[in-house]
Amino acid sequence: MVCEEELLIEKVCSLYEQISSLESLKPCKNVDMLFTKLVLTCIPPSPIDVTKLNKTVQDIRSHLIKLCGEAEGHLESHYSTILGSYDKPLNHLNIFPYYSNYLKLGHLEFTILSQHCTHVPTKVAFVGSGPLPLTSIVLASNHLPSTTFHNYDMDPLANSNAMRLVSSDPDLSKRMFFHTNDILEVSNALKEYEVVYLAALVGMDKEGKNRIIDHLGKHMNPGALLMLRSAHGARAFLYPVVEPCDFRGFEVLSVFHPSDEVINSVVIARKLYHSLEQGLVGSMILPNKCSEIQAFNPLNHGNMIEELAVEEQLL
Ligand SMILES: C[S@@+](CC[C@H](N)C(=O)[O-])C[C@H]1O[C@@H](n2cnc3c(N)ncnc32)[C@H](O)[C@@H]1O
């Protein structure tokens, strides 16, 4: 009897064959239909562990993540261009098909952040903000009204499209800044941020993601928070997965796996106060927590949060 996991893998591989045969991943009826089918296939909670897939399926997953990232980039550029043609782009964000997902993801990430923040952050960095920096916009508009947001993207066109969206807004035009840099070339500036968000699509495989996490671990201020997007279950066919052990130089505070239409898992970690040379090797998971990852859901029924370090909620 073919089990549920094998059926899911078969369906993902079939969709991969169709997607990888497309001439272009720019938004159109066929591209939208295939990616919608892929997301609907991967969203339901699944016990699948992508690290245990055979080599062929592992290779398909690696390429599929890159194809999803390329398609997401085209989709965001497409809608950023349309929004940029409005007088007040921020009044029309709901034309973006995944806008409600970003509202939910932004609220989720803010809720998790507020459980570990000792004060309202004054400066936040978002790495990989893209042409449609919805996370920064949602946070700045709905959750952190006095915080400035520094958006980093290596693509100058993404930044010029993004700037056009906020330039007409009297508030956000003064609180949103855009820097065209590969984050691996940014060092001292990273010390200025109390919170650094890392986009899901920055670092498209484990090696690339770990290189960036190591770089942030080297240059972020001790005590600063890193908010990172990962994936769980079958959603790991869409995005790279980051494990607590990948966070060298950080104390992993919690990992949250949504079970609703918010696709990304959220990981929050704090930059260690001691350098690695002082004997703290790898990511520090508080000993009283690492063996008994608690699964409780203070935010919403059906999700899972692995609370690795419980701290007083002061924000
Ligand atoms: C298309 S956006 C998608 C952002 C998406 N909302 C997310 O959460 O991942 C991803 C952006 O990351 C940027 N990017 C990728 N690697 C980067 C790096 N090393 N430094 C700065 N930006 C990077 C790309 O240029 C792209 O615009």
Side-chain angles (χ1 to χ4, degrees):
M1 197 225 347
V2 179
C3 76
E4 212 172 298
E5 272 186 43
E6 286 163 343
L7 286 174
L8 184 145
I9 292 170
E10 262 176 44
K11 196 164 177 192
V12 169
C13 292
S14 160
L15 286 166
Y16 166 75
E17 289 308 321
Q18 297 172 71
I19 289 169
S20 56
S21 317
L22 290 168
E23 276 186 27
S24 162
L25 294 179
K26 290 186 177 171
C28 69
K29 200 162 177 231
N30 191 31
V31 169
D32 296 350
M33 179 270 293
L34 285 172
F35 277 101
T36 301
K37 274 187 179 175
L38 180 66
V39 168
L40 292 176
T41 301
C42 296
I43 263 196
S46 155
I48 202 164
D49 177 352
V50 291
T51 61
K52 295 189 170 54
L53 298 169
N54 66 44
K55 176 83 172 60
T56 306
V57 181
Q58 289 275 10
D59 292 344
I60 285 174
R61 172 180 174 251
S62 299
H63 190 209
L64 187 55
I65 286 173
K66 291 181 173 61
L67 294 173
C68 289
E70 185 186 335
E72 188 167 330
H74 287 312
L75 190 72
E76 294 196 9
S77 296
H78 175 75
Y79 281 95
S80 180
T81 305
I82 295 170
L83 285 164
S85 66
Y86 288 106
D87 290 341
K88 295 183 183 295
L90 300 188
N91 293 351
H92 304 276
L93 294 176
N94 57 357
I95 68 167
F96 183 63
Y98 295 102
Y99 179 53
S100 63
N101 294 52
Y102 274 95
L103 287 173
K104 284 178 178 250
L105 180 58
H107 178 258
L108 168 64
E109 289 176 330
F110 175 71
T111 304
I112 293 172
L113 181 64
S114 63
Q115 291 178 341
H116 298 283
C117 247
T118 53
H119 61 281
V120 178
T122 49
K123 284 180 84 171
V124 169
F126 191 92
V127 178
S129 44
L132 189 56
L134 285 177
T135 296
S136 295
I137 291 170
V138 166
L139 278 173
S141 308
N142 303 351
H143 303 290
L144 293 169
S146 58
T147 300
T148 57
F149 290 81
H150 289 257
N151 298 282
Y152 287 84
D153 200 293
M154 63 201 308
D155 178 355
L157 183 59
N159 279 336
S160 61
N161 282 345
M163 263 183 266
R164 199 171 52 217
L165 303 184
V166 300
S167 57
S168 62
D169 186 277
D171 172 23
L172 264 58
S173 57
K174 296 189 182 61
R175 289 196 291 130
M176 294 270 280
F177 301 91
F178 296 88
H179 308 271
T180 302
N181 299 99
D182 180 330
I183 199 62
L184 293 172
E185 291 160 10
V186 180
S187 48
N188 289 341
L190 286 169
K191 285 190 177 23
E192 296 171 25
Y193 305 111
E194 293 121 304
V195 183
V196 176
Y197 277 75
L198 182 61
L201 298 176
V202 177
M204 296 300 278
D205 54 27
K206 189 164 267 303
E207 187 196 341
K209 190 74 83 174
N210 286 355
R211 190 178 317 123
I212 287 171
I213 294 173
D214 287 351
H215 179 77
L216 296 175
K218 191 174 169 191
H219 296 290
M220 279 173 62
N221 219 17
L225 292 170
L226 174 61
M227 294 291 287
L228 185 137
R229 290 163 183 174
S230 179
H232 189 64
R235 298 162 185 220
F237 278 109
L238 309 174
Y239 289 103
V241 174
V242 189
E243 306 288 353
C245 57
D246 296 322
F247 285 77
R248 283 182 291 274
F250 290 93
E251 168 197 7
V252 177
L253 303 173
S254 78
V255 180
F256 185 86
H257 302 308
S259 60
D260 58 6
E261 62 272 22
V262 173
I263 298 178
N264 291 115
S265 299
V266 177
V267 187
I268 183 170
R270 187 184 301 288
K271 167 73 186 285
L272 289 176
Y273 288 92
H274 305 287
S275 70
L276 294 183
E277 288 69 38
Q278 291 167 331
L280 284 164
V281 181
S283 62
M284 186 174 86
I285 297 176
L286 297 185
N288 61 328
K289 290 295 173 193
C290 60
S291 52
E292 39 154 309
I293 288 180
Q294 292 178 356
F296 67 92
N297 40 18
L299 305 168
N300 196 343
H301 181 67
N303 299 305
M304 180 172 76
I305 184 163
E306 300 164 6
E307 195 61 34
L308 298 165
V310 180
E311 291 172 298
E312 195 176 346
Q313 177 178 347
L314 300 176
L315 183 65

